[in-house]
Amino acid sequence: MRRITGKAKDETLIELQSATDSQTGDGPAVLTAFRINLHSVGLKRMGISLSILQQVSHFRRRLQLKRDENSGNGVPLSERASLPGHSETDKLQPNRDTVFFRDGVRRIDFVLSYVDDKDGEKKQERRREFEANLEKAGLELETEDKSDSKDQRTYFLKIHAPWDVLATYADVLKIKVPFKESDIPHGQDVPLDWLSHPFRLPEHIMRPAVDYFTYPFDKNKTDFFLINDKDTFFPPSTRNRIVFYILARCSYYKEGRKDKDKTGIKRLLSNGTYTAAFPLHDCRYWKRARNAECESERYNLYKHWARFLCFYKEQPLNLIRKYYGEKIGIYFAWLGFYTEMLFFAAVMGLICFTYGVLSYDDNISSQEICNPKIGGSIVMCPLCDKKCPFWKLNSTCLSSWQSHLFDNEGTVFFAIFMGIWVTLFLEFWKRRQARLEYEWDLVDFEEEQQQLQIRPEFEIRCTNKRLNKITQEMEPYLPITSKCARFCFSATTVLFWICLIVACIIGVIAYRLAVYAAFASIIKDPMRKIQLVGRFITPQLATSVTASCINFVIIMILNFFYERVAIWITDMEIPKTHLEYENKLTMKMFLFQFVNYYSSCFYVAFFKGKFVGYPGDYSYMFGKKKSKLRNEECDPGGCLIELTTQLVIVMAGKQLWGNIQEALLPLMRNWWSSRRGRHNPENHNSRWEQDHVLLNFSQLGLFYEYLEMVVQFGFITLFVASFPLAPLLALFNNILEIRVDAWKFTTQFRRPVASKARNIGAWQEILNAVAILSVVTNAFIMAFTSDMIPRMVYLYAYSEGVSMRGYVNNSLSIYNISQIPEDNMPEETDLWFVNSTSTCRYRDYRYPPGHEKEYAHTMQFWHILAAKMAFIIIMEHVVFVVKFFVAWMIPDIPSDVKARIKRERYLIQEYLHNYEVERLKLQLSASFITEPQSEMSSMTDKHEVLSECL
């Protein structure tokens, strides 16, 4: 029983007596008395309340249960339900779906699993030493025997971190905890706020915790913080982060030995000593936890976030952060913001495409190509040697119409719009990120991470030590000679693999050149042969589609190797911190992916059809003597439609394959286990066994998610001038991507260890680089790949009556067939060609035969080239000026966030000052009572100390 007895005015006696001991008759009753003799003024200033008594009572209850468990005379389950705090826990114990130890009080913060095998003696020794060192570090362990597991062979080691351990490492890691409830409102009323109600989630889901002002935890100032209950003060995500920090640095060698490499749970997992290490989900995702002490946050995330029917709802970012940690939270915040911004780009792209459809009938160039009297009377020169015949211009009628859908006046406007959109996206994301940094206590996190979160691999492999000038502690370091050697080897390896990618692309180009002749020999006259298909498929289209598909297959194969090579060379460099490791790996992987995914698009956009030559003087791949592969030419309608085909196949194929990998494969793997988990009785499925069968979320799990989205970002920005519908495809994909990723996290993966990140890391710089490069690429696409500039020059400088009539004839040069070398002439000549003409046409601006400058470039060619260069310079400067102006106008940190940061820092200083003053007054009051002095000397000493402090 607990009783409070009143004493004199200036004295309080608090006695806590264990009634259980007195009733068992095992000797005299244990009496715990806390006598606090304080001066009345000091007592009032300290603010002692009944919360101290509650903590003492809770401690007594836990101590009693632990003693009963150790003695083997535990309270029976039927009687234990009557003890305080055990009603809900004991109801949950029979079904074993719990996140607590068998005593129902201590929470399971981490679980390790292992299996005894034939070669298990060394592993058993490692486990004994490791678990003994964990107990020395203060962790509490509890083992589930293999006979209690479903497979009858797996042991589960449950780990609990008591308050002292949590407080110690929270101090070491400088984890921010609340010290005062925030008095700043979340936001202001927005006009027409009711329009957003259908997209909102309940308030308790969006803000699962009260907003507090926070300060790094200090173990010596626990009464400074708002600690109502020590068991729930640190949330589960923080608890598992602290425990994993201990596991990653705990050794498993015997005392007296110095095997530095025998350290950390990662090595024990890699050598098979343990099979898995993971924190527990708080409940099943499809059902709320029966235990009232369990948060059921996983259930709420699945219900309000992971289901696809919630695709139109906002994301519960605060709950995601609370459950999974800031690093995963910042990823979903970025992905959601990127998807929101894609909506505006998709709408504008759809408008531009609609303009191309509506102006379909007004395209005079396509009308002339399709006209039997114009396009049907123009004989074109062979597009390859021997196999390719002479052909009529109207055979490309369909491709010219298709090209107009994407190559029109609206495309120029859309290219400029996307250059500005990219800037707005990046600038507004910086503001959103700054707001999240403040709300999630990440403002000063990066410096702490650099100093404290040293990778265990770095500590093990770097035996040299030196003094850290900041922390004034000895720490391992990598000598500059070793660092330079590793860097050079890494750079050489990256360069080698990039050259391998380029070689594969050259192979695909050689395939295009060789296969084009084969398609041309099959589809000689589309109007006469293969009538069902020939009208829709040209040799150019058939070659482009098959080459794009082959290129996509090569990309997928090379990606398999890139991932392993990038991880290997990054491990070889031995980065110091986790942040440095991820940044280095990010740069290598993106460089590989950039060359792998975009190189084929760069070829079609900037090289195909640019180095062809003319009949009688064609250019060949690797030279005419070494190769008979003649460089490709573009359609009379331009190469833009081929770039669109390449972009659609690679981009859509990558997104489709990514969704199959992310959704279907995990679903097929876990379908059977999930089915069994739902239909088996609850008491046969412990919480750790249910989580054990789930997929492991690796340290690089988010890396691949970012990589997928950044590659997509490159597609919709670098080559968007060729395909305005690319943002729309990306929007649909991302709406699905958010829910697929949410579904994976909540249903298919074990709960990842919570980790912090203040931003998206190196991906921010990559996005900035891609944004700048996109302005250049789109300007060059509009100038050299599109047919827009030649049409504009003809319209305003060479046409009669400012009309596009006659443009097709003007853009084709004439060549005398009799002058074509024998090597370039087709093997067979069709009957329609015999005696019909003595000249053929080709796409270029050259003087006709018989002219004094025969086959030299005309003045119109140089006018068009000058117009192209002028367009590039003007477009780039306009877009860059607008980009920099927008970036200058939009501050990176919102003004209200700056005000909140300043107010929080002001309150921290004020509260710390008041706290120290109150503690000093309390110490003076206690010393005044315990060591009475003369009134004058006591007052003099008190004033001197106060004056020195204040």
Side-chain angles (χ1 to χ4, degrees):
M1 62 178 293
R2 184 177 64 190
R3 67 176 185 269
I4 304 174
T5 58
K7 299 294 180 182
K9 180 179 180 180
D10 298 334
E11 181 180 355
T12 302
L13 174 64
I14 306 173
E15 294 182 353
L16 181 66
Q17 185 172 357
S18 174
T20 307
D21 291 334
S22 62
Q23 293 173 4
T24 55
D26 294 337
V30 179
L31 179 65
T32 306
F34 295 87
R35 300 181 181 272
I36 304 176
N37 299 319
L38 300 172
H39 193 269
S40 57
V41 177
L43 181 61
K44 292 178 182 178
R45 290 188 179 275
M46 187 175 181
I48 292 179
S49 64
L50 290 178
S51 62
I52 297 178
L53 303 179
Q54 294 172 0
Q55 293 179 13
V56 172
S57 175
H58 184 70
F59 175 78
R60 183 204 60 77
R61 176 166 56 100
R62 293 181 59 184
L63 186 63
Q64 178 66 29
L65 289 173
K66 186 174 181 180
R67 188 190 62 182
D68 291 341
E69 180 184 357
N70 295 335
S71 64
N73 300 322
V75 181
L77 188 62
S78 59
E79 298 180 9
R80 200 164 63 178
S82 62
L83 292 176
H86 282 274
S87 58
E88 292 292 336
T89 303
D90 293 326
K91 290 178 183 178
L92 191 60
Q93 286 298 317
N95 62 40
R96 302 176 70 228
D97 188 16
T98 179
V99 294
F100 293 96
F101 274 20
R102 284 190 289 269
D103 59 18
V105 176
R106 293 172 291 173
R107 188 182 185 105
I108 301 173
D109 297 315
F110 227 87
V111 173
L112 307 180
S113 66
Y114 60 91
V115 178
D116 279 338
D117 49 26
K118 296 180 180 179
D119 301 328
E121 294 183 1
K122 290 184 177 179
K123 295 179 181 179
Q124 288 180 5
E125 182 180 354
R126 295 189 197 120
R127 285 195 291 266
R128 281 196 299 269
E129 297 298 331
F130 187 67
E131 292 169 15
N133 290 333
L134 289 179
E135 291 181 332
K136 290 179 182 178
L139 299 179
E140 299 176 3
L141 312 179
E142 185 176 84
T143 304
E144 289 288 332
D145 191 77
K146 65 179 181 180
S147 60
D148 296 329
S149 63
K150 288 187 294 185
D151 58 6
Q152 300 291 306
R153 57 191 298 268
T154 303
Y155 294 86
F156 292 95
L157 178 67
K158 299 175 290 185
I159 302 175
H160 167 76
W163 167 257
D164 288 340
V165 174
L166 294 173
T168 299
Y169 282 93
D171 194 350
V172 171
L173 298 175
K174 302 300 180 185
I175 294 176
K176 291 187 175 182
V177 294
F179 71 91
K180 181 185 182 299
E181 187 172 343
S182 176
D183 56 358
I184 301 177
H186 288 290
Q188 299 177 352
D189 294 335
V190 181
L192 301 178
D193 188 48
W194 57 273
L195 291 175
S196 62
H197 281 298
F199 309 102
R200 289 186 177 181
L201 293 174
E203 186 66 17
H204 72 281
I205 300 297
M206 289 302 298
R207 294 185 176 86
V210 181
D211 192 12
Y212 292 100
F213 291 121
T214 59
Y215 184 72
F217 186 80
D218 190 340
K219 189 178 181 181
N220 298 321
K221 300 176 181 178
T222 53
D223 50 343
F224 174 72
F225 303 101
L226 299 178
I227 305 177
N228 296 324
D229 187 354
K230 290 184 177 180
D231 288 340
T232 59
F233 179 67
F234 293 108
S237 58
T238 302
R239 297 174 69 100
N240 70 56
R241 177 188 165 207
I242 291 175
V243 173
F244 183 76
Y245 183 87
I246 300 173
L247 293 174
R249 285 158 176 78
C250 184
S251 62
Y252 54 92
Y253 53 81
K254 294 182 180 180
E255 292 186 5
R257 297 178 60 183
K258 295 184 178 181
D259 300 330
K260 292 296 185 181
D261 59 332
K262 294 185 176 181
T263 302
I265 187 61
K266 289 185 179 180
R267 293 187 63 86
L268 291 173
L269 290 172
S270 62
N271 60 32
T273 304
Y274 291 99
T275 57
F278 54 92
L280 291 178
H281 285 292
D282 58 3
C283 66
R284 291 165 292 175
Y285 67 87
W286 67 88
K287 185 184 291 186
R288 192 181 296 276
R290 294 172 58 184
N291 190 343
E293 296 183 12
C294 294
E295 300 83 2
S296 297
E297 291 174 348
R298 184 190 187 193
Y299 168 78
N300 290 329
L301 285 171
Y302 176 76
K303 180 180 178 181
H304 298 282
W305 178 50
R307 296 188 303 170
F308 183 74
L309 294 178
C310 301
F311 72 93
Y312 64 94
K313 295 282 189 179
E314 58 184 338
Q315 295 189 87
L317 295 178
N318 289 321
L319 185 58
I320 298 170
R321 172 246 182 172
K322 185 173 183 287
Y323 192 75
Y324 291 113
E326 288 80 2
K327 189 171 184 178
I328 293 177
I330 205 77
Y331 163 72
F332 281 103
W334 176 81
L335 180 57
F337 183 79
Y338 171 45
T339 305
E340 292 172 7
M341 292 294 293
L342 270 178
F343 173 78
F344 303 100
V347 170
M348 189 57 63
L350 186 61
I351 292 174
C352 292
F353 179 77
T354 305
Y355 171 79
V357 173
L358 296 178
S359 60
Y360 194 78
D361 295 332
D362 299 331
N363 183 15
I364 298 177
S365 298
S366 296
Q367 292 176 3
E368 291 183 347
I369 292 175
C370 298
N371 192 328
K373 295 182 180 180
I374 301 177
S377 62
I378 297 178
V379 177
M380 302 295 294
C381 298
L383 295 175
C384 64
D385 298 339
K386 298 295 185 180
K387 299 294 183 181
C388 297
F390 293 95
W391 52 286
K392 291 184 177 181
L393 182 61
N394 63 349
S395 64
T396 60
C397 175
L398 182 61
S399 65
S400 66
W401 285 113
Q402 293 171 344
S403 179
H404 174 74
L405 295 177
F406 307 103
D407 190 4
N408 53 67
E409 293 79 3
T411 309
V412 179
F413 169 78
F414 185 65
I416 297 174
F417 169 83
M418 287 302 296
I420 300 173
W421 175 88
V422 168
T423 304
L424 293 174
F425 164 65
L426 295 176
E427 292 302 319
F428 283 130
W429 165 245
K430 290 178 183 178
R431 291 171 60 84
R432 181 73 172 272
Q433 186 173 259
R435 191 177 298 278
L436 289 176
E437 285 181 14
Y438 168 74
E439 293 178 354
W440 292 356
D441 297 324
L442 301 170
V443 175
D444 302 321
F445 172 70
E446 185 172 0
E447 182 179 356
E448 298 166 3
Q449 187 177 27
Q450 288 286 353
Q451 294 179 4
L452 300 173
Q453 302 293 326
I454 297 178
R455 297 175 64 238
E457 294 85 353
F458 183 85
E459 297 176 334
I460 293 170
R461 298 176 64 179
C462 297
T463 57
N464 299 317
K465 291 186 178 294
R466 66 181 178 186
L467 183 67
N468 188 318
K469 297 180 180 179
I470 300 175
T471 61
Q472 292 298 310
E473 295 179 358
M474 298 298 294
E475 66 176 17
Y477 81 101
L478 190 65
I480 188 65
T481 54
S482 176
K483 185 179 295 187
C484 291
R486 293 172 187 272
F487 176 79
C488 293
F489 180 79
S490 174
T492 304
T493 306
V494 171
L495 185 61
F496 168 78
W497 280 91
I498 290 178
C499 292
L500 180 62
I501 301 172
V502 175
C504 292
I505 297 301
I506 294 175
V508 173
I509 296 173
Y511 163 84
R512 298 172 68 102
L513 301 178
V515 168
Y516 179 82
F519 279 118
S521 62
I522 296 174
I523 313 175
K524 289 183 178 180
D525 184 6
M527 301 302 296
R528 183 169 59 86
K529 298 180 179 181
I530 319 179
Q531 294 183 4
L532 182 63
V533 181
R535 290 181 299 171
F536 303 100
I537 296 181
T538 62
Q540 292 93 336
L541 180 62
T543 303
S544 179
V545 171
T546 55
S548 299
C549 293
I550 293 174
N551 185 67
F552 176 72
V553 173
I554 294 176
I555 287 172
M556 293 295 103
I557 295 174
L558 290 178
N559 279 342
F560 176 80
F561 296 101
Y562 294 154
E563 174 185 337
R564 286 152 181 78
V565 171
I567 293 176
W568 174 65
I569 58 180
T570 305
D571 289 337
M572 183 268 303
E573 292 179 7
I574 320 180
K576 181 177 181 180
T577 65
H578 292 285
L579 180 63
E580 184 180 354
Y581 180 89
E582 291 186 7
N583 289 344
K584 288 187 174 183
L585 182 62
T586 297
M587 297 304 297
K588 294 180 181 63
M589 278 296 294
F590 181 76
L591 187 59
F592 285 146
Q593 298 280 22
F594 184 91
V595 179
N596 196 20
Y597 278 106
Y598 304 144
S599 55
S600 59
C601 294
F602 273 103
Y603 163 73
V604 175
F606 306 124
F607 295 96
K608 182 180 178 181
K610 309 301 184 298
F611 309 98
V612 177
Y614 60 95
D617 189 19
Y618 285 118
S619 299
Y620 289 80
M621 187 176 182
F622 308 121
K624 187 174 182 180
K625 294 182 179 180
K626 297 181 180 180
S627 170
K628 294 185 178 181
L629 300 176
R630 202 171 94 189
N631 291 344
E632 285 185 284
E633 295 186 40
C634 291
D635 275 343
C639 280
L640 195 70
I641 187 63
E642 295 189 42
L643 178 58
T644 303
T645 304
Q646 178 81 20
L647 182 65
V648 169
I649 291 177
V650 177
M651 178 181 174
K654 181 186 183 305
Q655 293 184 164
L656 180 62
W657 177 249
N659 289 328
I660 291 175
Q661 283 184 311
E662 292 186 7
L664 295 183
L665 295 182
L667 183 62
M668 293 173 62
R669 182 186 183 279
N670 288 332
W671 176 80
W672 177 248
S673 58
S674 300
R675 182 181 176 87
R676 293 178 60 190
R678 284 204 182 211
H679 292 285
N680 284 348
E682 293 181 0
N683 56 356
H684 292 170
N685 296 279
S686 62
R687 167 57 33 218
W688 42 92
E689 287 178 294
Q690 294 178 46
D691 289 1
H692 184 258
V693 299
L694 298 178
L695 296 171
N696 180 46
F697 186 78
S698 66
Q699 181 183 354
L700 299 177
L702 279 184
F703 170 81
Y704 299 110
E705 303 295 341
Y706 275 118
L707 182 62
E708 179 184 3
M709 289 295 101
V710 172
V711 169
Q712 180 203 87
F713 181 81
F715 279 124
I716 69 167
T717 54
L718 294 175
F719 309 102
V720 73
S722 66
F723 187 47
L725 294 181
L728 184 64
L729 292 181
L731 176 64
F732 289 148
N733 176 80
N734 288 8
I735 292 174
L736 178 64
E737 179 78 18
I738 291 175
R739 304 305 160 178
V740 169
D741 287 347
W743 173 79
K744 285 192 309 180
F745 273 95
T746 54
T747 66
Q748 303 300 305
F749 283 114
R750 297 169 186 161
R751 185 174 184 174
V753 178
S755 57
K756 285 183 173 289
R758 64 175 300 182
N759 49 41
I760 61 176
W763 299 111
Q764 183 75 39
E765 298 303 323
I766 291 175
L767 292 175
N768 290 331
V770 171
I772 295 175
L773 182 61
S774 66
V775 178
V776 180
T777 56
N778 283 298
F780 272 84
I781 287 173
M782 295 306 303
F784 289 98
T785 309
S786 169
D787 231 21
M788 182 62 59
I789 302 301
R791 289 201 296 263
M792 293 296 102
V793 172
Y794 174 81
L795 179 64
Y796 295 107
Y798 290 90
S799 66
E800 297 179 1
V802 192
S803 172
M804 288 299 297
R805 297 194 180 278
Y807 168 74
V808 173
N809 185 66
N810 176 265
S811 64
L812 298 176
S813 298
I814 303 174
Y815 195 83
N816 193 340
I817 295 177
S818 61
Q819 295 178 331
I820 297 178
E822 184 65 25
D823 295 338
N824 301 133
M825 286 292 290
E827 295 176 346
E828 299 178 2
T829 304
D830 292 325
L831 295 176
W832 65 268
F833 175 72
V834 178
N835 299 324
S836 62
T837 182
S838 61
T839 60
C840 64
R841 311 293 292 273
Y842 60 97
R843 181 184 171 86
D844 207 341
Y845 293 92
R846 295 179 181 270
Y847 290 108
H851 194 277
E852 60 178 4
K853 296 181 180 179
E854 185 179 53
Y855 304 135
H857 282 122
T858 64
M859 189 56 97
Q860 186 176 355
F861 171 83
W862 300 109
H863 289 166
I864 292 174
L865 181 61
K868 289 179 177 180
M869 300 305 297
F871 174 82
I872 292 174
I873 294 173
I874 293 173
M875 179 178 172
E876 287 183 356
H877 280 73
V878 168
V879 175
F880 279 133
V881 167
V882 174
K883 281 170 62 69
F884 292 134
F885 178 75
V886 170
W888 175 75
M889 285 290 294
I890 302 175
D892 292 345
I893 302 177
S895 58
D896 62 319
V897 173
K898 290 182 179 180
R900 292 187 181 194
I901 294 174
K902 292 179 180 179
R903 173 163 175 75
E904 182 167 348
R905 288 174 177 171
Y906 165 76
L907 288 176
I908 289 173
Q909 295 178 355
E910 183 182 19
Y911 271 71
L912 279 175
H913 176 267
N914 294 337
Y915 170 79
E916 296 295 342
V917 171
E918 293 296 329
R919 254 196 1 180
L920 179 59
K921 290 180 179 180
L922 186 62
Q923 292 174 0
L924 292 175
S925 300
S927 63
F928 177 79
I929 296 173
T930 55
E931 298 179 8
Q933 301 175 357
S934 63
E935 185 174 357
M936 289 297 296
S937 61
S938 175
M939 292 299 294
T940 302
D941 294 341
K942 183 175 179 180
H943 282 295
E944 288 178 356
V945 175
L946 281 173
S947 62
E948 292 178 2
C949 178
L950 300 178

